[in-house]
Amino acid sequence: ADGYYEYGMQECVYSTIDYSDMVYLESYSFNKDVFLQFNSTVGKYVGLTELGVMNAERLNKDPAILQQSKAQVDTFCRPNAQLSDSAVRDKA
């Protein structure tokens, strides 16, 4: 049980049928403490700890990483939401 635990999580949050309010969220945790987050509405990485601030500064300086993260709403969230929503609607 000794050791370290690090993980990342991606979420797509929306409440409208046309996905117009969709937000892509990305968070990274170390030993259950979130240290870094990305929110597509904010459009940048935000560090919540010293480690997170250091990583946020590095990631926010890279235009390619920021562009890819911002695009996740259209490339990751919407296509997957459409697939899962249509599967649920077809069963109703």
Side-chain angles (χ1 to χ4, degrees):
D2 291 339
Y4 300 104
Y5 184 64
E6 182 178 5
Y7 65 96
M9 185 168 57
Q10 297 174 312
E11 297 178 80
C12 301
V13 180
Y14 62 98
S15 61
T16 59
I17 197 163
D18 66 353
Y19 313 121
S20 60
D21 65 342
M22 186 167 280
V23 177
Y24 170 73
L25 305 169
E26 188 177 331
S27 62
Y28 295 92
S29 301
F30 181 76
N31 287 351
K32 299 182 182 179
D33 293 325
V34 177
F35 67 90
L36 179 66
Q37 292 181 323
F38 178 84
N39 179 321
S40 63
T41 304
V42 176
K44 67 178 184 175
Y45 286 88
V46 176
L48 306 173
T49 65
E50 186 177 338
L51 174 66
V53 169
M54 180 183 68
N55 280 283
E57 288 173 356
R58 178 181 53 83
L59 293 167
N60 289 331
K61 287 180 184 175
D62 189 329
I65 289 175
L66 277 182
Q67 182 180 9
Q68 181 180 5
S69 296
K70 290 175 185 178
Q72 291 288 60
V73 170
D74 295 318
T75 60
F76 175 72
C77 290
R78 280 197 180 91
N80 285 299
Q82 291 168 340
L83 285 173
S84 61
D85 287 355
S86 66
V88 171
R89 284 189 207 109
D90 292 345
K91 304 282 186 231

